[in-house]
Amino acid sequence: MTRIFSWLSRDRRTGGDDEPDEPGFYALQDAPGGGWTDADADADAEPDRARRGTETRSSGGRSGGDPWAERLEQLDRYMEDEPKRERKRRRWRWAVRIVAGTLLAFFLLIGWLAVTAPLSRSLEPIAPPQLTLLASDGTPIARNGAVVDEPVRVADLPPHVIEPFLAIEDRRFYSHWGIDPRGIARAAWSNATGGPTQGGSTITQQLAKFTFLTPEQSLTRKAREALIAFWLEAWLSKDEILERYLSNAYFGDNTYGLRAASLHYFYRHPENLKPEQAAMLAGLLQAPSRLAPTRNFDLAEQRMRLVVAAMVDAGYLTGEEAGRLPTPRLDVRTRNELPTGTYFADWALPEARKLTGSGYAEQTIATTLDSRLQGIARDVVARAPLGSAQVALVAMRPNGEVVAMIGGRDYAKSPFNRATQAKRQPGSTFKLFVYLAALEAGMSPEDAIDNSMIETGSYRPRNASGSYSQSLTLEQAFARSSNVAAVRVFEQVGDEAVIDMARRLGVTSPLAEGDPSLALGTSTMTLMELTAAYAGIAANEFPVRPHAFVEEEPGWFDWLWNGKESLSGRRQEQIERLLRSAINRGTGRAAMLRGPNFGKTGTTQDNRDALFVGYAGDLVVGVWVGNDDNSPLAGISGGGLPARIWRDFMARALGETRAPARSRPTPSPDPSGPVQPQDVPQIGDIPLGEDGSRLRVREDGVTLSTDLNGIPVDVRLDRDGVALEPGTTPRDAPAEDTAPR
């Protein structure tokens, strides 16, 4: 319409410069012979115009030579032809859209294939290669991963090695474009007519499947497999595709790739395989686990004969040559006597994979595990009277190097690692963060804290011993593991300060904000996480990151910028004073060593978890005992069995005691009867009178605990002489701390 109105408003002048411009209707009426011309009409209207022109001339024309009428008639014809032009324009617009959409889909498909099926991935082993972990002294501790070896080159392989794979897997490999319709039809016909079951996938499709896709059986996966097959065929040569296929295919016995398989089964490189050996290996690809000749040689031989028949059918062998092929003899020389996993190996393996990178070569890497300390840990745990309970132990250096780990009683029965995976309540071992926050806030071990029963408020914890007093010093409250005192300290310093202290020491597990029960260890965390926090106190450098591989010593610049913190000398001395008191005069007496020792007991509500975490010498050790179903333990608390396990491990690890002699087994009068673990405890407390006084006999001395005018006093006699120390009341000492009920 714009064009029409533009035409109607043309300049009416045809000559004379003195005539004014009068666009519009009058220009249309007065212009002699001007106006619409044939060039202004669409070519599609030519037949109609010719017809109308003939009719007009034959009738003398309705315009009678009037220019105005002629132009109106031209306008009518133009308007009648407009729908045809609009349809033509619409067809062009749709054609452009279809072409643009097709191009966009093509480029999106190329981008998707480049991201999901990078060609470099087909050069990598599809299974992580075998990795052997060593203890720090070079002792192998575990071997994990697939048996792989260097890729093969088609140019280096003799024809009789390649031909069996082509005959049985993809006879038209060198003539199709990744998809073989003829092969698919042949497989479908064989399957439908009851012949031997066949697959229609080409070698290229199989490479796409085990390199880029999951094993799911669906039409979507088959469509993606076909697309990736075309992608591989477009970018790789046939020999490159075959090389990558042979270098990554699974041949059973945890063996991937032709080179690894030929070395494993026949102790030969693939370049030196005999025809019958190559035929047997080609036959394994259909069902590697079931047909592995080390497990089922008869089935492997039957499959080999089927491959030989396929080679005859494909023209690679004559019938006479096939009949002369003997059955190959196996020559298996590799044996894996190492376990594929242990509690420590399972924890260390992901980091080991990152350190070794990708490749086909077998890797060996040394860890921080100390085989001597690991043996001590195993022996100590085996001798502990655990009953049906589970146990976990983790030992590390103050810098975080893990040297021993027990994640449960029996890895073969339960590989779940209770040292690194189980999140349990830490109980009163969490009080370390509460009291350290108090010391950071300016309190001292001599400051008094109310130890009376909490009678107000919604949260009213109780002391496990059932005994209370008007007040205790912070040191006494920590040693006795007073619950009411810990909650009052928590409320004084605030939950933010306590949580911040735990975070600074490396605790990453969620911690309940605004919950006073947090002071008693009700938020869960792993034993590894908790032990690493105590390692930060031992090293006076935190946070400590537990690790299984030796790390480089940080340089001066790293030390300046690594973000680690440390306590002041005074604060370090104060917190170690509290930790030492918990062992020497508190709930952790069962863990006492001859030398300096620092630690804390922990027992959760209803004795569901029992812990002891502490350090001595250059070792930081955490011990947990509990049931996997979180049921209560029968009479086990943190100051009991876990403390004794900790002491027994530490004493042998630090050379204070030797390993107990192993007695020769004697015939049992009742071989069918159960063998119960035996536990011979140390001499217990000897009661002295009715006032609760008692005498404690230990390896390093004798302690008399009594009251003098209501004040608990310990009189200690050892090699250094007689010492008078603040003590615990006879009623309080044996009690073990627990979380609130």
PDB file of all heavy atoms in Angstrom, residues 260-269 273-274 276-281 284 293 297 304 327-333:
ATOM      1  N   ALA A 260      47.686 -55.879  26.722  1.00  0.00           N
ATOM      2  CA  ALA A 260      47.592 -56.420  28.072  1.00  0.00           C
ATOM      3  C   ALA A 260      47.035 -57.836  28.063  1.00  0.00           C
ATOM      4  O   ALA A 260      47.487 -58.705  28.818  1.00  0.00           O
ATOM      5  CB  ALA A 260      46.724 -55.509  28.942  1.00  0.00           C
ATOM      6  N   ALA A 261      46.040 -58.099  27.192  1.00  0.00           N
ATOM      7  CA  ALA A 261      45.430 -59.426  27.136  1.00  0.00           C
ATOM      8  C   ALA A 261      46.409 -60.467  26.603  1.00  0.00           C
ATOM      9  O   ALA A 261      46.486 -61.590  27.125  1.00  0.00           O
ATOM     10  CB  ALA A 261      44.179 -59.388  26.262  1.00  0.00           C
ATOM     11  N   SER A 262      47.164 -60.140  25.563  1.00  0.00           N
ATOM     12  CA  SER A 262      48.101 -61.118  25.000  1.00  0.00           C
ATOM     13  C   SER A 262      49.227 -61.426  25.986  1.00  0.00           C
ATOM     14  O   SER A 262      49.681 -62.572  26.090  1.00  0.00           O
ATOM     15  CB  SER A 262      48.668 -60.597  23.683  1.00  0.00           C
ATOM     16  OG  SER A 262      49.342 -59.363  23.875  1.00  0.00           O
ATOM     17  N   LEU A 263      49.650 -60.415  26.753  1.00  0.00           N
ATOM     18  CA  LEU A 263      50.672 -60.658  27.771  1.00  0.00           C
ATOM     19  C   LEU A 263      50.104 -61.463  28.939  1.00  0.00           C
ATOM     20  O   LEU A 263      50.787 -62.310  29.524  1.00  0.00           O
ATOM     21  CB  LEU A 263      51.245 -59.335  28.273  1.00  0.00           C
ATOM     22  CG  LEU A 263      52.154 -58.582  27.294  1.00  0.00           C
ATOM     23  CD1 LEU A 263      52.427 -57.171  27.804  1.00  0.00           C
ATOM     24  CD2 LEU A 263      53.457 -59.340  27.089  1.00  0.00           C
ATOM     25  N   HIS A 264      48.851 -61.186  29.277  1.00  0.00           N
ATOM     26  CA  HIS A 264      48.236 -61.862  30.422  1.00  0.00           C
ATOM     27  C   HIS A 264      47.968 -63.336  30.130  1.00  0.00           C
ATOM     28  O   HIS A 264      48.303 -64.211  30.944  1.00  0.00           O
ATOM     29  CB  HIS A 264      46.940 -61.157  30.793  1.00  0.00           C
ATOM     30  CG  HIS A 264      46.147 -61.859  31.854  1.00  0.00           C
ATOM     31  ND1 HIS A 264      46.587 -62.018  33.147  1.00  0.00           N
ATOM     32  CD2 HIS A 264      44.932 -62.483  31.800  1.00  0.00           C
ATOM     33  CE1 HIS A 264      45.694 -62.690  33.850  1.00  0.00           C
ATOM     34  NE2 HIS A 264      44.679 -62.985  33.058  1.00  0.00           N
ATOM     35  N   TYR A 265      47.376 -63.633  28.979  1.00  0.00           N
ATOM     36  CA  TYR A 265      46.967 -65.008  28.684  1.00  0.00           C
ATOM     37  C   TYR A 265      48.081 -65.847  28.044  1.00  0.00           C
ATOM     38  O   TYR A 265      48.137 -67.062  28.256  1.00  0.00           O
ATOM     39  CB  TYR A 265      45.745 -65.004  27.763  1.00  0.00           C
ATOM     40  CG  TYR A 265      44.485 -64.497  28.419  1.00  0.00           C
ATOM     41  CD1 TYR A 265      43.868 -63.331  27.972  1.00  0.00           C
ATOM     42  CD2 TYR A 265      43.901 -65.171  29.489  1.00  0.00           C
ATOM     43  CE1 TYR A 265      42.701 -62.859  28.565  1.00  0.00           C
ATOM     44  CE2 TYR A 265      42.744 -64.709  30.090  1.00  0.00           C
ATOM     45  CZ  TYR A 265      42.152 -63.547  29.626  1.00  0.00           C
ATOM     46  OH  TYR A 265      41.012 -63.084  30.220  1.00  0.00           O
ATOM     47  N   PHE A 266      48.936 -65.209  27.252  1.00  0.00           N
ATOM     48  CA  PHE A 266      49.941 -65.988  26.508  1.00  0.00           C
ATOM     49  C   PHE A 266      51.374 -65.502  26.726  1.00  0.00           C
ATOM     50  O   PHE A 266      52.301 -66.070  26.139  1.00  0.00           O
ATOM     51  CB  PHE A 266      49.614 -65.955  25.007  1.00  0.00           C
ATOM     52  CG  PHE A 266      48.243 -66.460  24.676  1.00  0.00           C
ATOM     53  CD1 PHE A 266      47.264 -65.612  24.190  1.00  0.00           C
ATOM     54  CD2 PHE A 266      47.926 -67.796  24.872  1.00  0.00           C
ATOM     55  CE1 PHE A 266      45.993 -66.077  23.895  1.00  0.00           C
ATOM     56  CE2 PHE A 266      46.657 -68.278  24.578  1.00  0.00           C
ATOM     57  CZ  PHE A 266      45.686 -67.419  24.090  1.00  0.00           C
ATOM     58  N   TYR A 267      51.558 -64.479  27.522  1.00  0.00           N
ATOM     59  CA  TYR A 267      52.869 -63.914  27.807  1.00  0.00           C
ATOM     60  C   TYR A 267      53.616 -63.591  26.511  1.00  0.00           C
ATOM     61  O   TYR A 267      54.799 -63.879  26.340  1.00  0.00           O
ATOM     62  CB  TYR A 267      53.703 -64.854  28.688  1.00  0.00           C
ATOM     63  CG  TYR A 267      54.792 -64.114  29.453  1.00  0.00           C
ATOM     64  CD1 TYR A 267      54.459 -63.171  30.403  1.00  0.00           C
ATOM     65  CD2 TYR A 267      56.139 -64.373  29.203  1.00  0.00           C
ATOM     66  CE1 TYR A 267      55.442 -62.490  31.109  1.00  0.00           C
ATOM     67  CE2 TYR A 267      57.129 -63.695  29.899  1.00  0.00           C
ATOM     68  CZ  TYR A 267      56.775 -62.756  30.847  1.00  0.00           C
ATOM     69  OH  TYR A 267      57.749 -62.070  31.535  1.00  0.00           O
ATOM     70  N   ARG A 268      52.888 -62.969  25.588  1.00  0.00           N
ATOM     71  CA  ARG A 268      53.452 -62.549  24.308  1.00  0.00           C
ATOM     72  C   ARG A 268      52.944 -61.151  23.983  1.00  0.00           C
ATOM     73  O   ARG A 268      51.802 -60.804  24.313  1.00  0.00           O
ATOM     74  CB  ARG A 268      53.017 -63.477  23.165  1.00  0.00           C
ATOM     75  CG  ARG A 268      53.715 -64.812  23.100  1.00  0.00           C
ATOM     76  CD  ARG A 268      53.073 -65.687  22.048  1.00  0.00           C
ATOM     77  NE  ARG A 268      53.804 -66.938  21.874  1.00  0.00           N
ATOM     78  CZ  ARG A 268      54.672 -67.168  20.896  1.00  0.00           C
ATOM     79  NH1 ARG A 268      54.898 -66.236  19.985  1.00  0.00           N
ATOM     80  NH2 ARG A 268      55.292 -68.330  20.817  1.00  0.00           N
ATOM     81  N   HIS A 269      53.764 -60.375  23.301  1.00  0.00           N
ATOM     82  CA  HIS A 269      53.284 -59.117  22.758  1.00  0.00           C
ATOM     83  C   HIS A 269      52.378 -59.416  21.574  1.00  0.00           C
ATOM     84  O   HIS A 269      52.549 -60.439  20.882  1.00  0.00           O
ATOM     85  CB  HIS A 269      54.463 -58.234  22.339  1.00  0.00           C
ATOM     86  CG  HIS A 269      55.138 -57.566  23.496  1.00  0.00           C
ATOM     87  ND1 HIS A 269      54.598 -56.479  24.140  1.00  0.00           N
ATOM     88  CD2 HIS A 269      56.310 -57.844  24.125  1.00  0.00           C
ATOM     89  CE1 HIS A 269      55.410 -56.105  25.114  1.00  0.00           C
ATOM     90  NE2 HIS A 269      56.451 -56.917  25.145  1.00  0.00           N
ATOM     91  N   LEU A 273      51.862 -62.764  18.363  1.00  0.00           N
ATOM     92  CA  LEU A 273      50.830 -63.771  18.596  1.00  0.00           C
ATOM     93  C   LEU A 273      50.756 -64.759  17.436  1.00  0.00           C
ATOM     94  O   LEU A 273      50.945 -64.406  16.267  1.00  0.00           O
ATOM     95  CB  LEU A 273      49.465 -63.099  18.764  1.00  0.00           C
ATOM     96  CG  LEU A 273      49.175 -62.420  20.102  1.00  0.00           C
ATOM     97  CD1 LEU A 273      47.853 -61.664  20.023  1.00  0.00           C
ATOM     98  CD2 LEU A 273      49.155 -63.433  21.246  1.00  0.00           C
ATOM     99  N   LYS A 274      50.439 -65.985  17.779  1.00  0.00           N
ATOM    100  CA  LYS A 274      50.187 -67.004  16.768  1.00  0.00           C
ATOM    101  C   LYS A 274      48.740 -66.881  16.292  1.00  0.00           C
ATOM    102  O   LYS A 274      47.891 -66.317  16.999  1.00  0.00           O
ATOM    103  CB  LYS A 274      50.435 -68.395  17.338  1.00  0.00           C
ATOM    104  CG  LYS A 274      51.882 -68.649  17.747  1.00  0.00           C
ATOM    105  CD  LYS A 274      52.044 -70.040  18.331  1.00  0.00           C
ATOM    106  CE  LYS A 274      53.485 -70.320  18.729  1.00  0.00           C
ATOM    107  NZ  LYS A 274      53.654 -71.677  19.310  1.00  0.00           N
ATOM    108  N   GLU A 276      46.266 -69.032  16.140  1.00  0.00           N
ATOM    109  CA  GLU A 276      45.273 -69.613  17.054  1.00  0.00           C
ATOM    110  C   GLU A 276      45.103 -68.782  18.322  1.00  0.00           C
ATOM    111  O   GLU A 276      44.012 -68.699  18.891  1.00  0.00           O
ATOM    112  CB  GLU A 276      45.642 -71.063  17.398  1.00  0.00           C
ATOM    113  CG  GLU A 276      46.967 -71.243  18.121  1.00  0.00           C
ATOM    114  CD  GLU A 276      48.141 -71.401  17.173  1.00  0.00           C
ATOM    115  OE1 GLU A 276      48.005 -71.033  15.977  1.00  0.00           O
ATOM    116  OE2 GLU A 276      49.195 -71.908  17.619  1.00  0.00           O
ATOM    117  N   GLN A 277      46.189 -68.140  18.784  1.00  0.00           N
ATOM    118  CA  GLN A 277      46.105 -67.283  19.963  1.00  0.00           C
ATOM    119  C   GLN A 277      45.287 -66.028  19.657  1.00  0.00           C
ATOM    120  O   GLN A 277      44.441 -65.617  20.464  1.00  0.00           O
ATOM    121  CB  GLN A 277      47.513 -66.908  20.435  1.00  0.00           C
ATOM    122  CG  GLN A 277      48.327 -68.085  20.934  1.00  0.00           C
ATOM    123  CD  GLN A 277      49.782 -67.720  21.171  1.00  0.00           C
ATOM    124  OE1 GLN A 277      50.309 -66.779  20.580  1.00  0.00           O
ATOM    125  NE2 GLN A 277      50.448 -68.502  22.032  1.00  0.00           N
ATOM    126  N   ALA A 278      45.524 -65.431  18.500  1.00  0.00           N
ATOM    127  CA  ALA A 278      44.752 -64.256  18.105  1.00  0.00           C
ATOM    128  C   ALA A 278      43.276 -64.600  17.951  1.00  0.00           C
ATOM    129  O   ALA A 278      42.391 -63.819  18.330  1.00  0.00           O
ATOM    130  CB  ALA A 278      45.310 -63.675  16.807  1.00  0.00           C
ATOM    131  N   ALA A 279      42.974 -65.785  17.409  1.00  0.00           N
ATOM    132  CA  ALA A 279      41.579 -66.197  17.234  1.00  0.00           C
ATOM    133  C   ALA A 279      40.888 -66.370  18.582  1.00  0.00           C
ATOM    134  O   ALA A 279      39.722 -65.998  18.751  1.00  0.00           O
ATOM    135  CB  ALA A 279      41.517 -67.490  16.428  1.00  0.00           C
ATOM    136  N   MET A 280      41.588 -66.913  19.579  1.00  0.00           N
ATOM    137  CA  MET A 280      40.981 -67.070  20.898  1.00  0.00           C
ATOM    138  C   MET A 280      40.729 -65.713  21.540  1.00  0.00           C
ATOM    139  O   MET A 280      39.666 -65.486  22.154  1.00  0.00           O
ATOM    140  CB  MET A 280      41.867 -67.932  21.796  1.00  0.00           C
ATOM    141  CG  MET A 280      41.313 -68.084  23.212  1.00  0.00           C
ATOM    142  SD  MET A 280      42.118 -69.364  24.203  1.00  0.00           S
ATOM    143  CE  MET A 280      41.307 -70.840  23.549  1.00  0.00           C
ATOM    144  N   LEU A 281      41.668 -64.791  21.407  1.00  0.00           N
ATOM    145  CA  LEU A 281      41.466 -63.459  21.985  1.00  0.00           C
ATOM    146  C   LEU A 281      40.306 -62.737  21.311  1.00  0.00           C
ATOM    147  O   LEU A 281      39.503 -62.072  21.978  1.00  0.00           O
ATOM    148  CB  LEU A 281      42.748 -62.628  21.860  1.00  0.00           C
ATOM    149  CG  LEU A 281      43.934 -63.081  22.711  1.00  0.00           C
ATOM    150  CD1 LEU A 281      45.149 -62.217  22.428  1.00  0.00           C
ATOM    151  CD2 LEU A 281      43.588 -63.024  24.197  1.00  0.00           C
ATOM    152  N   LEU A 284      36.920 -63.660  22.732  1.00  0.00           N
ATOM    153  CA  LEU A 284      36.564 -63.258  24.092  1.00  0.00           C
ATOM    154  C   LEU A 284      35.687 -62.014  24.132  1.00  0.00           C
ATOM    155  O   LEU A 284      35.011 -61.765  25.129  1.00  0.00           O
ATOM    156  CB  LEU A 284      37.836 -62.995  24.912  1.00  0.00           C
ATOM    157  CG  LEU A 284      38.836 -64.149  25.045  1.00  0.00           C
ATOM    158  CD1 LEU A 284      40.004 -63.730  25.917  1.00  0.00           C
ATOM    159  CD2 LEU A 284      38.158 -65.386  25.621  1.00  0.00           C
ATOM    160  N   PRO A 293      39.537 -67.617  29.366  1.00  0.00           N
ATOM    161  CA  PRO A 293      40.062 -68.991  29.375  1.00  0.00           C
ATOM    162  C   PRO A 293      40.629 -69.416  30.719  1.00  0.00           C
ATOM    163  O   PRO A 293      40.721 -70.614  30.990  1.00  0.00           O
ATOM    164  CB  PRO A 293      41.146 -68.961  28.289  1.00  0.00           C
ATOM    165  CG  PRO A 293      41.487 -67.530  28.104  1.00  0.00           C
ATOM    166  CD  PRO A 293      40.253 -66.756  28.410  1.00  0.00           C
ATOM    167  N   PHE A 297      37.965 -72.570  30.125  1.00  0.00           N
ATOM    168  CA  PHE A 297      38.756 -72.790  28.915  1.00  0.00           C
ATOM    169  C   PHE A 297      37.941 -73.476  27.818  1.00  0.00           C
ATOM    170  O   PHE A 297      38.114 -73.181  26.634  1.00  0.00           O
ATOM    171  CB  PHE A 297      40.005 -73.622  29.240  1.00  0.00           C
ATOM    172  CG  PHE A 297      40.956 -73.722  28.098  1.00  0.00           C
ATOM    173  CD1 PHE A 297      41.870 -72.718  27.851  1.00  0.00           C
ATOM    174  CD2 PHE A 297      40.936 -74.830  27.248  1.00  0.00           C
ATOM    175  CE1 PHE A 297      42.747 -72.804  26.778  1.00  0.00           C
ATOM    176  CE2 PHE A 297      41.805 -74.924  26.182  1.00  0.00           C
ATOM    177  CZ  PHE A 297      42.718 -73.900  25.943  1.00  0.00           C
ATOM    178  N   MET A 304      36.592 -69.868  20.038  1.00  0.00           N
ATOM    179  CA  MET A 304      37.711 -69.728  19.104  1.00  0.00           C
ATOM    180  C   MET A 304      37.405 -70.447  17.794  1.00  0.00           C
ATOM    181  O   MET A 304      37.696 -69.932  16.699  1.00  0.00           O
ATOM    182  CB  MET A 304      38.986 -70.289  19.732  1.00  0.00           C
ATOM    183  CG  MET A 304      40.228 -70.081  18.885  1.00  0.00           C
ATOM    184  SD  MET A 304      41.518 -71.302  19.175  1.00  0.00           S
ATOM    185  CE  MET A 304      40.883 -72.697  18.250  1.00  0.00           C
ATOM    186  N   THR A 327      44.669 -75.884  19.282  1.00  0.00           N
ATOM    187  CA  THR A 327      44.158 -75.145  20.436  1.00  0.00           C
ATOM    188  C   THR A 327      45.338 -74.525  21.184  1.00  0.00           C
ATOM    189  O   THR A 327      46.291 -75.224  21.527  1.00  0.00           O
ATOM    190  CB  THR A 327      43.386 -76.080  21.375  1.00  0.00           C
ATOM    191  OG1 THR A 327      42.278 -76.642  20.659  1.00  0.00           O
ATOM    192  CG2 THR A 327      42.887 -75.321  22.589  1.00  0.00           C
ATOM    193  N   PRO A 328      45.314 -73.221  21.417  1.00  0.00           N
ATOM    194  CA  PRO A 328      46.470 -72.583  22.065  1.00  0.00           C
ATOM    195  C   PRO A 328      46.578 -72.976  23.540  1.00  0.00           C
ATOM    196  O   PRO A 328      45.586 -73.311  24.198  1.00  0.00           O
ATOM    197  CB  PRO A 328      46.171 -71.089  21.916  1.00  0.00           C
ATOM    198  CG  PRO A 328      44.690 -71.008  21.834  1.00  0.00           C
ATOM    199  CD  PRO A 328      44.242 -72.256  21.127  1.00  0.00           C
ATOM    200  N   ARG A 329      47.784 -72.933  24.051  1.00  0.00           N
ATOM    201  CA  ARG A 329      48.046 -73.199  25.469  1.00  0.00           C
ATOM    202  C   ARG A 329      48.234 -71.885  26.196  1.00  0.00           C
ATOM    203  O   ARG A 329      48.910 -70.968  25.706  1.00  0.00           O
ATOM    204  CB  ARG A 329      49.299 -74.064  25.618  1.00  0.00           C
ATOM    205  CG  ARG A 329      49.174 -75.450  25.009  1.00  0.00           C
ATOM    206  CD  ARG A 329      50.461 -76.229  25.196  1.00  0.00           C
ATOM    207  NE  ARG A 329      50.823 -76.338  26.609  1.00  0.00           N
ATOM    208  CZ  ARG A 329      51.961 -76.880  27.050  1.00  0.00           C
ATOM    209  NH1 ARG A 329      52.850 -77.351  26.173  1.00  0.00           N
ATOM    210  NH2 ARG A 329      52.211 -76.944  28.337  1.00  0.00           N
ATOM    211  N   LEU A 330      47.648 -71.806  27.368  1.00  0.00           N
ATOM    212  CA  LEU A 330      47.770 -70.581  28.167  1.00  0.00           C
ATOM    213  C   LEU A 330      49.144 -70.520  28.811  1.00  0.00           C
ATOM    214  O   LEU A 330      49.757 -71.546  29.129  1.00  0.00           O
ATOM    215  CB  LEU A 330      46.695 -70.533  29.250  1.00  0.00           C
ATOM    216  CG  LEU A 330      45.232 -70.475  28.783  1.00  0.00           C
ATOM    217  CD1 LEU A 330      44.305 -70.379  29.990  1.00  0.00           C
ATOM    218  CD2 LEU A 330      44.997 -69.313  27.839  1.00  0.00           C
ATOM    219  N   ASP A 331      49.615 -69.286  29.025  1.00  0.00           N
ATOM    220  CA  ASP A 331      50.880 -69.054  29.731  1.00  0.00           C
ATOM    221  C   ASP A 331      50.679 -67.843  30.642  1.00  0.00           C
ATOM    222  O   ASP A 331      51.125 -66.731  30.355  1.00  0.00           O
ATOM    223  CB  ASP A 331      52.010 -68.809  28.730  1.00  0.00           C
ATOM    224  CG  ASP A 331      53.373 -68.712  29.421  1.00  0.00           C
ATOM    225  OD1 ASP A 331      53.429 -68.919  30.651  1.00  0.00           O
ATOM    226  OD2 ASP A 331      54.365 -68.413  28.733  1.00  0.00           O
ATOM    227  N   VAL A 332      49.952 -68.072  31.736  1.00  0.00           N
ATOM    228  CA  VAL A 332      49.602 -66.990  32.662  1.00  0.00           C
ATOM    229  C   VAL A 332      50.669 -66.917  33.747  1.00  0.00           C
ATOM    230  O   VAL A 332      50.855 -67.869  34.510  1.00  0.00           O
ATOM    231  CB  VAL A 332      48.207 -67.227  33.282  1.00  0.00           C
ATOM    232  CG1 VAL A 332      47.862 -66.104  34.244  1.00  0.00           C
ATOM    233  CG2 VAL A 332      47.158 -67.341  32.188  1.00  0.00           C
ATOM    234  N   ARG A 333      51.338 -65.768  33.822  1.00  0.00           N
ATOM    235  CA  ARG A 333      52.410 -65.609  34.803  1.00  0.00           C
ATOM    236  C   ARG A 333      52.138 -64.502  35.811  1.00  0.00           C
ATOM    237  O   ARG A 333      52.914 -64.320  36.742  1.00  0.00           O
ATOM    238  CB  ARG A 333      53.727 -65.311  34.081  1.00  0.00           C
ATOM    239  CG  ARG A 333      54.100 -66.355  33.040  1.00  0.00           C
ATOM    240  CD  ARG A 333      55.479 -66.116  32.484  1.00  0.00           C
ATOM    241  NE  ARG A 333      55.794 -67.038  31.384  1.00  0.00           N
ATOM    242  CZ  ARG A 333      56.987 -67.120  30.803  1.00  0.00           C
ATOM    243  NH1 ARG A 333      57.975 -66.334  31.207  1.00  0.00           N
ATOM    244  NH2 ARG A 333      57.183 -67.972  29.806  1.00  0.00           N
TER     245      ARG A 333
END
